Amino acid sequence: MSNVADVIIIGGGVHGTSLAFHLAPRKTKVIVLEKQFIAAGATGRSSGLVRMHYGDEMDSRLAWESWKWFVNWKDRVGGVCGFTRAGFIQIVSREAANVLRANVAMHQKIGIPSLVVTADDVKRLAPSFRTDDFDIAAYEPESGYAMPSDTANALMNAAKDRGARLVQDCAVTGIQVKNNRVVGVETTQGTFSAPIVVNAAGAWAGQLNKMVGLDLPYNTWRHETMFVVRPTEIGPSHPLVIDFPHDLYFRPEGGLTLVGLEDGNPLGESPDSDTDHAQPGFVERAIDRICQRVPSMKDGGLHSAHSGYDGITPDQHGIMGAAGPDGFYLDCGHSGTGFKTAPAIGLCMSELILDGKSKTVDISQYAPSRFTEGKLIKSSYENVWK
Ligand SMILES: Cc1cc2nc3c(=O)[nH]c(=O)nc-3n(C[C@H](O)[C@H](O)[C@H](O)COP(=O)(O)OP(=O)(O)OC[C@H]3O[C@@H](n4cnc5c(N)ncnc54)[C@H](O)[C@@H]3O)c2cc1C
C-alpha cells in the first residue's frame, strides 16, 4: 500500500477523522496516522454535549452548522453518532443575566432555536432542579448529546469508503521539512510523504508543533467526569445543563447522569498520564455540586469516574490554520469544548486547505497568528475552565 498522500493527518480523534471525511471526496488522497486507535484521546472521554450556546458568535455558528450534521447523521455520514435530543439549559448568575439575554439574541439571529426562560419555566422543564438562585436561563430545545467514539468511528469509516487510509498503532516521531516546506513524516511504521501535514493531535499537538520548531502557547488540560445512578424520583431523563453558578455541567445517559466540573481542571500534566481514574477529591466535589442543583441526587449511587486530556490555548479556543513551514496546518487546542463543533470544523478546514479560505463558517479568528498579533478571542462570558 502506498505511503504517499496529498494530505497526512496526525491524530484519529474526532477532528482528524472529520477532516479526513470532508477532504476525501474532493479528489484528495488522505492518510490518517493514529498512534493508538480511533478516539483514544479526548474524544473517547468526551461528555458529548451538543449545544449551541456560546458567548462568541463564531463558536455558536460552528456549533450550529455541526448540529445539522448530528441530526442528519445517517444521510450525511452513515453509521451512528448516537445523537439524543434532550434539550439544553444554560444557567447563569443574576449578575450575568443581561449577558445571557444578549447571547440568546445573537443565537436567534443566527437561526439557532434558543429562548430566554424564567426560573419557573426551568422548574416546569425539570421539577427536581433547585431554581431559587437565578432569575433567567437560556433554553435550547433541539440540543442534546452524542456518542463521541461512535461519531469519530463513523466519520473514519465514511472517509475510508471515500478513499482515505487509516494507519493505527502508528506514532509520528518526526516531521520532514525541505526548503521550509513539509514533505512528510517519520513514524513507528516508516516514512509517509505528503506536501500537506495537519496536526490534529489534541493534547499531544504541542509536541508535534515543536517538531517543526513552532512555538505556540499550548498546554494540556485534564478533565474529570463521573457517572451517577439517578434516583428514580428524578425521572427517566432530564435536560443537559451548564450551571455557571456552581461551575458544573450534567446530562443524562440512560439511567445515569454524567457530571463534570468547570473548575479544578489541572493544566500542564503529561497527556500520557493515567486517565482510567479521576483525581482524588473530584468525586466528593462533584457530588456536592450536583446535589446543590438537584437535591434528590443525594440518593444516587456513584457508578464510575474517569478523566481525559485535551489541548488548551490561552483564550480557550481551538487553533485552526497554517503555521510554521509551508504545508503545515493545525486543527487542535479545542480546549475542552471541541466535540460538538468537529463536523463543521472539519468542513471548514477542508475548505481552507483546498480553496485557501473557509466558506461554511469564517474560521479566520482561530488562526495561529492571533497569539503573536495579540488578537486573542474574547467571549462575553468569563473563561469557564478555571
Ligand atoms: C473529559 C472530557 C469531556 C469533554 N466533554 C465535551 C463535551 O461535552 N462537548 C464538547 O464539545 N467537547 C467536550 N470535550 C472536548 C472534546 O472532547 C475535544 O475537544 C475533542 O474530542 C478533541 O478532539 P481531537 O481530535 O482534537 O483530539 P483527540 O481526541 O485527543 O485526538 C488526538 C489523537 O491524536 C493521537 N496522537 C497524539 N500524538 C500522536 C502522534 N505523535 N502520532 C499519531 N497520533 C498521535 C492521539 O492518540 C489521539 O487519538 C471534552 C473533553 C474531555 C477530555
Side-chain angles (χ1 to χ4, degrees), residues 62-133:
L62 287 168
W64 178 225
E65 286 305 317
S66 295
W67 176 88
K68 297 171 191 169
W69 285 86
F70 284 113
V71 294
N72 295 301
W73 198 261
K74 203 162 173 286
D75 294 338
R76 289 188 178 196
V77 181
V80 291
C81 71
F83 180 78
T84 304
R85 178 183 170 278
F88 166 75
I89 297 172
Q90 172 74 60
I91 298 174
V92 298
S93 66
R94 292 195 164 99
E95 296 72 49
N98 283 338
V99 183
L100 179 131
R101 279 186 204 284
N103 283 334
V104 170
M106 178 262 283
H107 302 148
Q108 290 172 343
K109 211 175 91 198
I110 295 171
I112 296 168
S114 180
L115 55 156
V116 175
V117 295
T118 64
D120 286 346
D121 293 329
V122 172
K123 194 78 186 167
R124 277 187 281 274
L125 286 163
S128 60
F129 292 7
R130 207 188 115 204
T131 56
D132 58 357
D133 61 330

Side-chain angles (χ1 to χ4, degrees), residues 104-294:
V104 170
M106 178 262 283
H107 302 148
Q108 290 172 343
K109 211 175 91 198
I110 295 171
I112 296 168
S114 180
L115 55 156
V116 175
V117 295
T118 64
D120 286 346
D121 293 329
V122 172
K123 194 78 186 167
R124 277 187 281 274
L125 286 163
S128 60
F129 292 7
R130 207 188 115 204
T131 56
D132 58 357
D133 61 330
F134 63 94
D135 292 334
I136 58 166
Y139 180 52
E140 293 179 351
E142 300 298 333
S143 290
Y145 57 92
M147 296 295 120
S149 293
D150 291 351
T151 302
N153 275 290
L155 287 164
M156 194 64 236
N157 288 339
K160 284 198 278 186
D161 289 346
R162 289 158 175 77
R165 181 178 167 207
L166 167 68
V167 189
Q168 300 187 92
D169 290 318
C170 180
V172 171
T173 52
I175 298 173
Q176 299 172 324
V177 178
K178 272 195 191 138
N179 301 325
N180 197 37
R181 158 128 241 129
V182 292
V183 291
V185 298
E186 287 137 26
T187 79
T188 47
Q189 294 193 37
T191 301
F192 291 77
S193 306
I196 293 174
V197 173
V198 182
N199 179 357
W204 295 264
Q207 298 170 9
L208 287 140
N209 288 341
K210 288 206 177 90
M211 290 180 192
V212 292
L214 197 53
D215 187 20
L216 289 172
Y218 201 87
N219 218 333
T220 62
W221 171 87
R222 176 185 169 114
H223 184 60
E224 272 93 12
T225 52
M226 75 170 178
F227 290 88
V228 180
V229 181
R230 201 167 48 247
T232 47
E233 67 255 39
I234 296 176
S237 190
H238 56 75
L240 288 65
V241 176
I242 295 183
D243 178 351
F244 280 171
H246 291 109
D247 288 326
L248 165 78
Y249 71 86
F250 54 99
R251 71 154 171 92
E253 169 80 41
L256 307 177
T257 291
L258 184 162
V259 183
L261 299 181
E262 295 186 335
D263 59 348
N265 298 288
L267 301 180
E269 296 180 356
S270 165
D272 296 310
S273 309
D274 169 44
T275 53
D276 290 339
H277 304 91
Q279 63 182 344
F282 165 74
V283 166
E284 290 79 0
R285 287 193 305 127
I287 288 173
D288 176 59
R289 301 277 182 87
I290 186 72
C291 288
Q292 289 185 45
R293 180 58 66 205
V294 190

Side-chain angles (χ1 to χ4, degrees), residues 9-17 32-51 54 145 148 152 167 169-174 186-188 199-205 207-208 211 218 221-225 240 249 251 258 272 306-311 331-342 385:
I9 298 171
I10 306 169
V14 72
H15 280 275
T17 56
V32 176
L33 303 175
E34 165 52 54
K35 73 171 178 167
Q36 293 191 71
F37 51 87
I38 293 296
T43 300
R45 294 297 182 170
S46 181
S47 304
L49 271 72
V50 175
R51 45 93 191 185
Y54 276 100
Y145 57 92
V167 189
D169 290 318
C170 180
V172 171
T173 52
E186 287 137 26
T187 79
T188 47
N199 179 357
W204 295 264
Q207 298 170 9
L208 287 140
M211 290 180 192
Y218 201 87
W221 171 87
R222 176 185 169 114
H223 184 60
E224 272 93 12
T225 52
L240 288 65
Y249 71 86
R251 71 154 171 92
L258 184 162
D272 296 310
H306 58 215
S307 59
Y309 286 97
D310 202 358
D331 178 353
C332 55
H334 295 288
S335 303
T337 179
F339 170 69
K340 70 185 72 59
T341 46
W385 304 119

